[in-house]
Amino acid sequence: HFADRKALYEGLELPVTFSAGIACLPLGEPVELDQLVERADRALYLAKEKRNCFAYWDHRESKPYIIEQ
């Protein structure tokens, strides 16, 4: 599990975290690049807020969606 990993830096064990925002270009829907980046950004911040989960942009619902672990 990624959240259980530690990094060793100058003799200190540091927790390692990773967050990413994911948005896909929906078929048949015209989306500008800045819209796609904004959707991924919103998913990223939702994932960071909830911690230990996955978040992606649900274009059908027009909002970020969380998958809890």
Side-chain angles (χ1 to χ4, degrees):
H1 192 264
F2 191 82
D4 296 332
R5 300 202 181 253
K6 305 278 187 226
L8 189 59
Y9 178 73
E10 295 185 359
L12 299 172
E13 277 194 0
L14 305 172
V16 176
T17 63
F18 176 81
S19 298
I22 299 172
C24 297
L25 187 60
L27 295 175
E29 181 185 328
V31 176
E32 297 293 323
L33 178 60
D34 60 334
Q35 291 174 304
L36 202 57
V37 170
E38 191 258 332
R39 291 174 180 183
D41 196 49
R42 288 180 58 189
L44 167 66
Y45 282 98
L46 181 61
K48 289 174 84 74
E49 175 187 315
K50 297 292 184 179
R51 296 200 159 295
N52 297 324
C53 64
F54 298 97
Y56 67 93
W57 184 265
D58 186 336
H59 70 276
R60 293 167 296 203
E61 299 290 328
S62 294
K63 65 179 184 178
Y65 182 77
I66 284 282
I67 299 173
E68 302 285 343
Q69 283 193 1

